[in-house]
Amino acid sequence: MTPEEETDALLDALGRGEMPDSGDPAARLLAALLDDVDQRRSSVSMTPST
């Protein structure tokens, strides 16, 4: 697998909410950032206040 294919596979897995390799610090960082964004998005109202 080429480095580009590995990167694509990692991003695809993270996009599906999967943690592909817990030993990879970059993957852990990306997963934590995605989790943080998901938590912030769920705590913010998406409807405008009137």
Side-chain angles (χ1 to χ4, degrees):
M1 191 178 276
T2 68
E4 292 83 10
E5 291 171 331
E6 289 179 13
T7 300
D8 288 345
L10 170 65
L11 295 175
D12 287 343
L14 289 171
R16 292 188 302 268
E18 300 170 3
M19 182 61 175
D21 182 6
S22 61
D24 183 350
R28 287 196 314 266
L29 175 62
L30 287 171
L33 290 170
L34 285 172
D35 187 47
D36 187 48
V37 168
D38 286 342
Q39 287 179 10
R40 288 175 191 249
R41 190 177 354 192
S42 67
S43 69
V44 174
S45 173
M46 299 305 266
T47 57
S49 58
T50 55

